[in-house]
PDB file of all heavy atoms in Angstrom:
ATOM      1  N   GLU A 301      93.112  57.289  42.359  1.00  0.00           N
ATOM      2  CA  GLU A 301      91.727  57.535  41.954  1.00  0.00           C
ATOM      3  C   GLU A 301      91.640  57.932  40.491  1.00  0.00           C
ATOM      4  O   GLU A 301      90.633  58.431  40.034  1.00  0.00           O
ATOM      5  CB  GLU A 301      91.128  58.658  42.805  1.00  0.00           C
ATOM      6  CG  GLU A 301      91.048  58.320  44.293  1.00  0.00           C
ATOM      7  CD  GLU A 301      90.694  59.526  45.119  1.00  0.00           C
ATOM      8  OE1 GLU A 301      90.876  60.653  44.620  1.00  0.00           O
ATOM      9  OE2 GLU A 301      90.248  59.362  46.259  1.00  0.00           O
ATOM     10  N   THR A 302      92.723  57.730  39.745  1.00  0.00           N
ATOM     11  CA  THR A 302      92.793  58.290  38.403  1.00  0.00           C
ATOM     12  C   THR A 302      91.726  57.744  37.466  1.00  0.00           C
ATOM     13  O   THR A 302      91.268  58.442  36.577  1.00  0.00           O
ATOM     14  CB  THR A 302      94.175  58.025  37.802  1.00  0.00           C
ATOM     15  OG1 THR A 302      94.442  56.629  37.870  1.00  0.00           O
ATOM     16  CG2 THR A 302      95.228  58.774  38.577  1.00  0.00           C
ATOM     17  N   ARG A 303      91.293  56.503  37.630  1.00  0.00           N
ATOM     18  CA  ARG A 303      90.330  55.924  36.694  1.00  0.00           C
ATOM     19  C   ARG A 303      88.922  56.494  36.879  1.00  0.00           C
ATOM     20  O   ARG A 303      88.135  56.496  35.958  1.00  0.00           O
ATOM     21  CB  ARG A 303      90.268  54.400  36.857  1.00  0.00           C
ATOM     22  CG  ARG A 303      91.544  53.697  36.408  1.00  0.00           C
ATOM     23  CD  ARG A 303      91.392  52.191  36.531  1.00  0.00           C
ATOM     24  NE  ARG A 303      92.584  51.500  36.083  1.00  0.00           N
ATOM     25  CZ  ARG A 303      92.844  51.197  34.824  1.00  0.00           C
ATOM     26  NH1 ARG A 303      91.983  51.557  33.887  1.00  0.00           N
ATOM     27  NH2 ARG A 303      93.937  50.557  34.487  1.00  0.00           N
ATOM     28  N   ASN A 304      88.627  56.976  38.078  1.00  0.00           N
ATOM     29  CA  ASN A 304      87.254  57.374  38.373  1.00  0.00           C
ATOM     30  C   ASN A 304      87.084  58.874  38.538  1.00  0.00           C
ATOM     31  O   ASN A 304      86.015  59.333  38.860  1.00  0.00           O
ATOM     32  CB  ASN A 304      86.793  56.677  39.658  1.00  0.00           C
ATOM     33  CG  ASN A 304      86.852  55.178  39.534  1.00  0.00           C
ATOM     34  OD1 ASN A 304      86.472  54.635  38.512  1.00  0.00           O
ATOM     35  ND2 ASN A 304      87.335  54.514  40.576  1.00  0.00           N
ATOM     36  N   SER A 305      88.130  59.646  38.326  1.00  0.00           N
ATOM     37  CA  SER A 305      88.054  61.068  38.590  1.00  0.00           C
ATOM     38  C   SER A 305      88.195  61.878  37.321  1.00  0.00           C
ATOM     39  O   SER A 305      88.843  61.473  36.369  1.00  0.00           O
ATOM     40  CB  SER A 305      89.151  61.486  39.579  1.00  0.00           C
ATOM     41  OG  SER A 305      89.198  62.875  39.679  1.00  0.00           O
ATOM     42  N   SER A 306      87.566  63.045  37.305  1.00  0.00           N
ATOM     43  CA  SER A 306      87.704  63.952  36.173  1.00  0.00           C
ATOM     44  C   SER A 306      88.590  65.126  36.528  1.00  0.00           C
ATOM     45  O   SER A 306      88.494  66.185  35.956  1.00  0.00           O
ATOM     46  CB  SER A 306      86.321  64.467  35.753  1.00  0.00           C
ATOM     47  OG  SER A 306      85.715  65.161  36.825  1.00  0.00           O
ATOM     48  N   SER A 307      89.455  64.919  37.479  1.00  0.00           N
ATOM     49  CA  SER A 307      90.297  66.008  37.965  1.00  0.00           C
ATOM     50  C   SER A 307      91.376  66.385  36.986  1.00  0.00           C
ATOM     51  O   SER A 307      91.833  65.585  36.194  1.00  0.00           O
ATOM     52  CB  SER A 307      90.947  65.590  39.278  1.00  0.00           C
ATOM     53  OG  SER A 307      91.930  66.502  39.633  1.00  0.00           O
ATOM     54  N   ALA A 308      91.797  67.644  37.075  1.00  0.00           N
ATOM     55  CA  ALA A 308      92.931  68.104  36.285  1.00  0.00           C
ATOM     56  C   ALA A 308      94.145  68.305  37.165  1.00  0.00           C
ATOM     57  O   ALA A 308      95.047  69.019  36.820  1.00  0.00           O
ATOM     58  CB  ALA A 308      92.585  69.410  35.573  1.00  0.00           C
ATOM     59  N   THR A 309      94.135  67.699  38.323  1.00  0.00           N
ATOM     60  CA  THR A 309      95.298  67.822  39.189  1.00  0.00           C
ATOM     61  C   THR A 309      95.778  66.450  39.603  1.00  0.00           C
ATOM     62  O   THR A 309      94.997  65.526  39.772  1.00  0.00           O
ATOM     63  CB  THR A 309      94.971  68.621  40.468  1.00  0.00           C
ATOM     64  OG1 THR A 309      93.920  67.961  41.165  1.00  0.00           O
ATOM     65  CG2 THR A 309      94.568  70.030  40.134  1.00  0.00           C
ATOM     66  N   ILE A 310      97.099  66.330  39.743  1.00  0.00           N
ATOM     67  CA  ILE A 310      97.673  65.079  40.210  1.00  0.00           C
ATOM     68  C   ILE A 310      98.690  65.376  41.278  1.00  0.00           C
ATOM     69  O   ILE A 310      99.352  66.402  41.250  1.00  0.00           O
ATOM     70  CB  ILE A 310      98.328  64.273  39.070  1.00  0.00           C
ATOM     71  CG1 ILE A 310      99.407  65.107  38.386  1.00  0.00           C
ATOM     72  CG2 ILE A 310      97.307  63.808  38.072  1.00  0.00           C
ATOM     73  CD1 ILE A 310     100.110  64.384  37.278  1.00  0.00           C
ATOM     74  N   PHE A 311      98.813  64.455  42.229  1.00  0.00           N
ATOM     75  CA  PHE A 311      99.754  64.646  43.310  1.00  0.00           C
ATOM     76  C   PHE A 311     101.158  64.318  42.845  1.00  0.00           C
ATOM     77  O   PHE A 311     101.373  63.448  42.008  1.00  0.00           O
ATOM     78  CB  PHE A 311      99.380  63.752  44.498  1.00  0.00           C
ATOM     79  CG  PHE A 311      98.256  64.292  45.305  1.00  0.00           C
ATOM     80  CD1 PHE A 311      96.970  63.817  45.139  1.00  0.00           C
ATOM     81  CD2 PHE A 311      98.494  65.295  46.231  1.00  0.00           C
ATOM     82  CE1 PHE A 311      95.922  64.321  45.889  1.00  0.00           C
ATOM     83  CE2 PHE A 311      97.445  65.804  46.993  1.00  0.00           C
ATOM     84  CZ  PHE A 311      96.164  65.313  46.813  1.00  0.00           C
ATOM     85  N   GLN A 312     102.133  65.023  43.413  1.00  0.00           N
ATOM     86  CA  GLN A 312     103.515  64.694  43.129  1.00  0.00           C
ATOM     87  C   GLN A 312     103.798  63.235  43.441  1.00  0.00           C
ATOM     88  O   GLN A 312     104.674  62.636  42.864  1.00  0.00           O
ATOM     89  CB  GLN A 312     104.449  65.576  43.964  1.00  0.00           C
ATOM     90  CG  GLN A 312     104.736  66.940  43.352  1.00  0.00           C
ATOM     91  CD  GLN A 312     105.732  66.852  42.207  1.00  0.00           C
ATOM     92  OE1 GLN A 312     106.166  65.789  41.818  1.00  0.00           O
ATOM     93  NE2 GLN A 312     106.075  67.983  41.659  1.00  0.00           N
ATOM     94  N   GLY A 313     103.010  62.666  44.345  1.00  0.00           N
ATOM     95  CA  GLY A 313     103.234  61.282  44.722  1.00  0.00           C
ATOM     96  C   GLY A 313     103.032  60.312  43.570  1.00  0.00           C
ATOM     97  O   GLY A 313     103.470  59.171  43.630  1.00  0.00           O
ATOM     98  N   LEU A 314     102.362  60.747  42.492  1.00  0.00           N
ATOM     99  CA  LEU A 314     102.182  59.880  41.342  1.00  0.00           C
ATOM    100  C   LEU A 314     103.530  59.457  40.784  1.00  0.00           C
ATOM    101  O   LEU A 314     103.694  58.373  40.254  1.00  0.00           O
ATOM    102  CB  LEU A 314     101.376  60.621  40.265  1.00  0.00           C
ATOM    103  CG  LEU A 314     101.088  59.848  38.970  1.00  0.00           C
ATOM    104  CD1 LEU A 314     100.256  58.625  39.273  1.00  0.00           C
ATOM    105  CD2 LEU A 314     100.393  60.734  37.979  1.00  0.00           C
ATOM    106  N   SER A 315     104.528  60.333  40.906  1.00  0.00           N
ATOM    107  CA  SER A 315     105.836  60.027  40.359  1.00  0.00           C
ATOM    108  C   SER A 315     106.706  59.310  41.363  1.00  0.00           C
ATOM    109  O   SER A 315     107.870  59.084  41.104  1.00  0.00           O
ATOM    110  CB  SER A 315     106.523  61.319  39.928  1.00  0.00           C
ATOM    111  OG  SER A 315     106.782  62.133  41.050  1.00  0.00           O
ATOM    112  N   ALA A 316     106.171  58.967  42.504  1.00  0.00           N
ATOM    113  CA  ALA A 316     106.995  58.382  43.565  1.00  0.00           C
ATOM    114  C   ALA A 316     106.522  56.995  43.919  1.00  0.00           C
ATOM    115  O   ALA A 316     105.397  56.810  44.349  1.00  0.00           O
ATOM    116  CB  ALA A 316     106.960  59.275  44.804  1.00  0.00           C
ATOM    117  N   SER A 317     107.379  56.018  43.725  1.00  0.00           N
ATOM    118  CA  SER A 317     107.048  54.675  44.184  1.00  0.00           C
ATOM    119  C   SER A 317     107.420  54.513  45.650  1.00  0.00           C
ATOM    120  O   SER A 317     107.097  53.520  46.266  1.00  0.00           O
ATOM    121  CB  SER A 317     107.816  53.640  43.356  1.00  0.00           C
ATOM    122  OG  SER A 317     109.208  53.871  43.459  1.00  0.00           O
ATOM    123  N   ILE A 318     108.096  55.536  46.211  1.00  0.00           N
ATOM    124  CA  ILE A 318     108.588  55.450  47.589  1.00  0.00           C
ATOM    125  C   ILE A 318     107.573  56.005  48.577  1.00  0.00           C
ATOM    126  O   ILE A 318     107.336  55.419  49.622  1.00  0.00           O
ATOM    127  CB  ILE A 318     109.914  56.221  47.728  1.00  0.00           C
ATOM    128  CG1 ILE A 318     110.935  55.654  46.743  1.00  0.00           C
ATOM    129  CG2 ILE A 318     110.465  56.137  49.146  1.00  0.00           C
ATOM    130  CD1 ILE A 318     112.177  56.487  46.623  1.00  0.00           C
ATOM    131  N   THR A 319     106.983  57.126  48.268  1.00  0.00           N
ATOM    132  CA  THR A 319     106.032  57.740  49.188  1.00  0.00           C
ATOM    133  C   THR A 319     104.769  58.130  48.435  1.00  0.00           C
ATOM    134  O   THR A 319     104.679  58.017  47.212  1.00  0.00           O
ATOM    135  CB  THR A 319     106.619  59.015  49.831  1.00  0.00           C
ATOM    136  OG1 THR A 319     106.660  60.056  48.832  1.00  0.00           O
ATOM    137  CG2 THR A 319     108.016  58.786  50.365  1.00  0.00           C
ATOM    138  N   SER A 320     103.808  58.657  49.188  1.00  0.00           N
ATOM    139  CA  SER A 320     102.548  59.095  48.600  1.00  0.00           C
ATOM    140  C   SER A 320     102.621  60.517  48.084  1.00  0.00           C
ATOM    141  O   SER A 320     101.659  61.014  47.515  1.00  0.00           O
ATOM    142  CB  SER A 320     101.434  59.009  49.661  1.00  0.00           C
ATOM    143  OG  SER A 320     101.694  59.931  50.694  1.00  0.00           O
ATOM    144  N   GLY A 321     103.731  61.186  48.300  1.00  0.00           N
ATOM    145  CA  GLY A 321     103.851  62.572  47.881  1.00  0.00           C
ATOM    146  C   GLY A 321     103.375  63.534  48.934  1.00  0.00           C
ATOM    147  O   GLY A 321     103.327  64.722  48.705  1.00  0.00           O
ATOM    148  N   ALA A 322     102.991  63.012  50.106  1.00  0.00           N
ATOM    149  CA  ALA A 322     102.516  63.875  51.173  1.00  0.00           C
ATOM    150  C   ALA A 322     103.606  64.157  52.206  1.00  0.00           C
ATOM    151  O   ALA A 322     103.417  64.959  53.089  1.00  0.00           O
ATOM    152  CB  ALA A 322     101.313  63.232  51.871  1.00  0.00           C
ATOM    153  N   ARG A 323     104.740  63.471  52.095  1.00  0.00           N
ATOM    154  CA  ARG A 323     105.808  63.633  53.068  1.00  0.00           C
ATOM    155  C   ARG A 323     106.867  64.599  52.553  1.00  0.00           C
ATOM    156  O   ARG A 323     107.146  64.667  51.361  1.00  0.00           O
ATOM    157  CB  ARG A 323     106.470  62.283  53.374  1.00  0.00           C
ATOM    158  CG  ARG A 323     105.596  61.354  54.165  1.00  0.00           C
ATOM    159  CD  ARG A 323     106.449  60.384  54.962  1.00  0.00           C
ATOM    160  NE  ARG A 323     107.529  59.816  54.168  1.00  0.00           N
ATOM    161  CZ  ARG A 323     107.623  58.523  53.890  1.00  0.00           C
ATOM    162  NH1 ARG A 323     106.688  57.695  54.301  1.00  0.00           N
ATOM    163  NH2 ARG A 323     108.641  58.064  53.201  1.00  0.00           N
TER     164      ARG A 323
END
Side-chain angles (χ1 to χ4, degrees):
E301 297 170 340
T302 54
R303 292 183 179 276
N304 301 318
S305 171
S306 60
S307 169
T309 59
I310 57 179
F311 282 100
Q312 276 284 4
L314 180 62
S315 65
S317 58
I318 302 170
T319 72
S320 66
R323 289 206 315 244

